[in-house]
């Protein structure tokens, strides 16, 4: 998911306060920034919302890679609008995190020094135009699985950001699938591209949900706090069940020889992704980790003079205005 | 050569090539709010390209459409001014180029709203509102950075010095322009220069920047005679899929 | 002094006759730029809407009413402020 493997932070407060806090959440009340909250809740949320925001921002890069090579003016406009949406979603999420007492700049610095992560999926390269289809269809499809339930998360600003994001994101998966349909029904080369994109993005998409956490203490705490709504396995299964028929419709083959419908469970059985690869990517050894971080660092470092320049001008203007009054 | 087709390619190629350049910033801007704003500008310019090149293709009547014009012409058939094909440079240079272009674009569209060709007037009417906002934003950024810190001032002055020799081409007049001006379809570009200078002088004064004395102008873009080396690379990237897989639909 | 652009709260009136509604926040060096950024971020340039921007630090908010003194509500700021908290550098990475 965009926020993977979020461990809950320890909390060490008055049990009475904790119980009352939990009761509020159980009643379905939203927690707002000025409300009392356990320190662990606050810190876990900062980590989760921050990671989610970072994922949106780093997530601009693999798709941004194709904006200047989009095959038609319309495709270029759609892709640009989509990548722009990701910047917007990052912005909403940073603002939600800021209500918890951490600034966007501080969060950015944590991304750049490696102490905060972003989703593993964005460390995979986009090599052909069909990847724009696969990313929209699979990656956004997987993200939506998680984001729709998060609209009901207990923290008000996070919930509101997710509602806005889900509303804007409805076209993302569709435009991805639309590209895949064009490719799958296109020339033999285009079909080959489409299959190749599915082959490369299938398992990384399954990894987005993170390893099984059904037994995890962290997961249980985060679910009690309604920071996490479903287990990783639930969401992954839902994703597979939804995606297999879509692949069949395209006439594409999911790269899993063991994938089959299980009439007993009413779900598809499927192979686990290679979790060693997942942990390598998280550690920084994915195919594009170095490039992604270099790009973000470059934008931040080379943008410093711009941020400072515009702020200096604003301060001059204010000083002049004050002097005139 | 049909002057109307030529003129429409000039308008459409300007927005196409500048839109492409601005879109290169997506995901790489100094701050999120600017990233989003620049993407809006690029989106507007791409949309405007569809209108101008769409009409160009219609006027040409050779069975091409806007995509065919954008994706399959070679550099010598492009009619954009050199200013817009120059590489982005730093953020300051990108915004300086935007401001220098917007100030002209806004003026020319205001004239084109009165074009005797209704189709051109309609495009100008629609796009002029977008461009007025582009200018407002690029102007504010040039002023803010020009009159910001010592470093931002120095960078903006360097950007102006680097780009100013490409401004003059916007006001070149040739037989195409004469024919269109005669028919009341488009203004004579030369007639816009005074209004442009007044604008730019005002903006640069507020930005505490010095406009170079020399009126020397690089040219060769709007007539396609001699583009910069940069355009070929830009087209290589932009047109790659259509060139590598001719006849495919996307 | 921090070089981070201040945070602004954005209020938009989408239709005539409606009240301005809080839509979110953003960063900008000053109020003029906050309005422009709001146009680009929250309206995608929709014309005819009215935008209010307020620096977040200038907003005074009530305290949650149903809490006893043990809950130690934050003071007047609408949002808790970054500087109120010291996030340890060793917050363990994921």
């Amino acid at each position: 998911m965009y926020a993977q493997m979020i461990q809950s932070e320890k909390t060490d407060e008055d049990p009475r306060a904790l119980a009352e806090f939990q009761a509020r959440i159980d009643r379905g009340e939203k927690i707002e920034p000025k409300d009392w909250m356990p320190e662990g809740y606050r810190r876990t949320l900062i980590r989760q919302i921050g990671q989610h925001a970072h994922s949106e921002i780093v997530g601009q890069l693999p798709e941004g890679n194709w904006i200047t090579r989009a095959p038609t003016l319309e495709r270029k406009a759609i892709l640009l609008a989509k990548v722009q949406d990701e910047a917007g979603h990052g912005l909403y999420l940073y603002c939600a995190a800021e209500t918890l007492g951490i600034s966007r700049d501080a969060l950015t610095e944590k991304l750049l020094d490696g102490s905060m992560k972003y989703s593993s999926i964005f460390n995979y390269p986009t090599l052909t135009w069909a990847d724009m289809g696969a990313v929209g269809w699979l990656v956004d499809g997987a993200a939506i699985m998680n984001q729709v339930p998060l609209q009901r998360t207990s923290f008000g600003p996070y919930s509101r950001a997710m509602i806005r994001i889900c509303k804007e994101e409805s076209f993302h998966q569709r435009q991805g699938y639309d590209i895949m349909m064009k490719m799958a029904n296109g020339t033999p080369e285009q079909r080959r591209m489409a299959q190749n994109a599915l082959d490369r993005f299938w398992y990384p998409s399954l990894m987005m949900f993170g390893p099984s956490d059904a037994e995890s203490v962290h997961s249980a705490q985060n679910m009690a706090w309604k920071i996490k709504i479903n287990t990783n396995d639930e969401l992954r299964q839902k994703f597979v069940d939804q995606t297999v028929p879509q692949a069949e419709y395209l006439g594409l083959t999911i790269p899993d020889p063991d994938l089959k419908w299980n009439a007993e469970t009413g779900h598809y059985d499927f192979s686990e992704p290679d979790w060693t690869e997942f942990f390598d990517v998280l550690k920084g050894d994915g195919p594009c980790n170095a490039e992604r971080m270099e790009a973000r660092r470059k934008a931040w470092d080379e943008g410093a003079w711009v941020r400072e320049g515009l702020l200096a001008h604003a301060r001059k203007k204010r000083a002049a205005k004050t002097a005139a009054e | 050569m049909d002057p109307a087709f030529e003129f429409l390619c000039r308008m459409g190629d300007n927005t196409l090539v500048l839109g492409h350049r601005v879109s290169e910033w997506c995901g790489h801007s100094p701050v999120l709010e600017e990233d989003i704003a620049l993407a809006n500008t690029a989106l507007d310019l791409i949309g405007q390209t569809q209108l101008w090149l769409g009409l160009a293709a219609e006027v040409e009547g050779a069975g091409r459409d806007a995509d065919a014009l954008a994706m399959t012409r070679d550099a010598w058939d492009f009619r954009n001014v050199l200013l817009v094909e120059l590489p982005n440079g730093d953020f300051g240079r990108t915004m300086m180029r935007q401001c220098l272009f917007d100030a002209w674009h806004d003026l020319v569209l205001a004239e084109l709203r009165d074009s005797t060709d209704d189709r051109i007037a309609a495009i100008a009417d629609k796009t002029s509102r977008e461009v007025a906002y582009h200018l407002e934003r690029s102007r504010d950024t040039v002023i803010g950075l020009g009159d910001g810190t010592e470093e931002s001032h120095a960078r903006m002055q360097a950007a102006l010095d680097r780009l100013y020799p490409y401004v003059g081409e916007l006001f070149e007049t040739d037989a195409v322009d004469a024919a269109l001006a005669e028919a009341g379809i488009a203004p004579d570009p030369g007639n816009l220069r005074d209004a442009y200078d007044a604008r730019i002088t005002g903006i640069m004064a507020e930005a505490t920047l010095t406009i170079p004395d020399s009126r020397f102008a690089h040219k060769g873009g709007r007539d396609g005679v001699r583009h910069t080396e940069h355009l070929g690379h830009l087209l290589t990237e932009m047109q790659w899929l259509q060139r590598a897989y001719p006849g495919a639909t996307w | 002094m921090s070089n981070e652009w201040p945070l602004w709260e954005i209020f938009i009136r989408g239709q005539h006759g409606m009240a301005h509604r809080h839509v979110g926040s953003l960063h900008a060096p000053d109020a003029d730029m906050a309005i422009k950024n709001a146009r680009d971020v929250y309206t995608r340039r929709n014309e005819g809407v009215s935008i209010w921007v307020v620096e977040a630090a200038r907003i005074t908010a009530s305290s949650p009413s149903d809490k006893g003194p043990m809950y130690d509500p934050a003071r007047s700021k609408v949002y808790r402020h970054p500087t109120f908290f010291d996030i340890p550098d060793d917050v363990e990475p994921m």
Side-chain angles (χ1 to χ4, degrees), chain B residues 32-101:
Chain B
L32 267 179
E33 284 80 358
E34 291 291 342
D35 206 274
I36 292 166
L38 274 179
N40 274 337
T41 301
L43 280 168
D44 287 344
L45 291 168
I46 295 165
Q48 294 172 12
T49 304
Q50 289 173 304
L51 298 174
W52 290 121
L53 291 187
L55 184 54
E58 189 184 319
V59 164
E60 185 192 36
R64 296 200 280 187
D65 60 10
D67 281 323
L69 289 175
M71 299 295 176
T72 58
R73 281 177 302 155
D74 201 348
W76 57 26
D77 285 331
F78 271 73
R79 294 291 180 265
N80 58 280
V81 292
L82 301 179
L83 176 69
V84 296
E85 70 195 46
L86 296 177
N88 285 335
D90 65 11
F91 183 80
R93 195 193 286 181
T94 297
M95 293 312 293
M96 179 62 79
R97 179 185 60 199
Q98 193 67 40
C99 182
L100 294 171
F101 180 80

Side-chain angles (χ1 to χ4, degrees), chain A residues 57 60-61 68-69 71-73 75-77 80 83-84 91 104 190 193 296 299 303 305 307 309 313 316, chain B residues 20 26-28 30 32-33 35-36 40 42-43 46 67 144 147-148 151 155 237-238 241-242 245 249-250:
Chain A
I57 300 310
Q60 288 187 276
L61 299 170
T68 56
R69 288 180 290 171
T72 67
L73 295 170
R75 288 286 182 205
K76 191 202 287 275
L80 181 55
V83 180
Q84 180 196 40
L91 186 149
R104 190 202 291 175
Q190 285 177 305
M193 260 186 230
R296 288 315 309 159
W305 73 269
R307 298 188 297 273
H313 179 71
K316 279 186 207 178
Chain B
H20 182 100
C26 187
H28 304 277
L32 267 179
E33 284 80 358
D35 206 274
I36 292 166
N40 274 337
L43 280 168
I46 295 165
D67 281 323
D147 183 32
E151 180 182 7
R155 283 175 181 264
E237 191 171 333
M238 185 172 83
L241 270 175
Q242 293 285 1
Y245 302 95
T249 54
W250 304 90

Side-chain angles (χ1 to χ4, degrees), chain A residues 163-233:
Chain A
I163 288 168
R164 201 177 175 97
I165 288 170
C166 286
K167 202 167 121 197
E168 292 184 2
E169 203 151 270
S170 55
F171 96 89
H172 289 186
Q173 195 189 9
R174 284 175 198 204
Q175 69 88 31
Y177 197 69
D178 184 61
I179 290 175
M180 290 309 271
M181 284 198 293
K182 268 275 192 306
M183 307 288 285
N185 298 317
T187 65
E189 285 146 320
Q190 285 177 305
R191 274 198 294 282
R192 201 175 131 217
M193 260 186 230
Q195 181 62 53
N196 174 273
L198 174 58
D199 291 348
R200 279 181 291 108
F201 275 97
W202 174 252
Y203 286 107
S205 299
L206 295 186
M207 290 178 202
M208 286 175 69
F209 299 93
S212 179
D213 61 351
E215 314 292 321
S216 155
V217 188
H218 293 297
S219 181
Q221 174 64 78
N222 290 346
M223 286 173 89
W225 278 338
K226 285 197 195 156
I227 290 174
K228 188 179 171 77
I229 311 288
N230 307 89
T231 68
N232 296 349
D233 290 330

Side-chain angles (χ1 to χ4, degrees), chain A residues 18 59 210 213 231 236 252 261 265 268 287 311:
Chain A
L18 285 174
D213 61 351
T231 68
R236 186 171 15 250
L252 300 178
W261 177 252
T265 59
Y268 284 93
L311 188 63

Side-chain angles (χ1 to χ4, degrees), chain A residues 93-148:
Chain A
L93 288 162
Y94 283 128
C95 288
E98 284 186 80
T99 68
L100 291 158
I102 185 160
S103 72
R104 190 202 291 175
D105 281 6
L107 285 166
T108 302
E109 274 156 16
K110 284 173 185 298
L111 169 70
L112 298 181
D113 71 16
S115 62
M116 282 182 86
K117 303 289 185 198
Y118 54 91
S119 176
S120 56
I121 190 71
F122 301 119
N123 290 310
Y124 289 87
T126 54
L127 303 177
T128 73
W129 175 252
D131 289 9
M132 296 304 97
V135 168
W137 171 37
L138 301 173
V139 175
D140 288 301
I144 289 165
M145 290 281 154
N146 186 45
Q147 293 181 166
V148 167

Side-chain angles (χ1 to χ4, degrees), chain C residues 22-75:
Chain C
H22 183 241
V23 294
S25 334
L26 50 72
H27 288 268
D30 61 21
D32 290 342
M33 285 308 295
I35 286 186
K36 288 206 172 65
N37 288 346
R39 260 187 97 184
D40 276 297
V41 172
Y42 286 106
T43 78
R44 299 287 156 80
R45 309 280 190 75
N46 205 348
E47 304 221 6
V49 303
S50 163
I51 301 174
W52 289 351
V53 300
V54 187
E55 203 173 338
R58 300 289 181 96
I59 295 180
T60 304
S62 65
S63 296
S65 52
D66 57 340
K67 299 289 172 278
M70 64 174 289
Y71 294 111
D72 184 25
R75 295 291 166 255

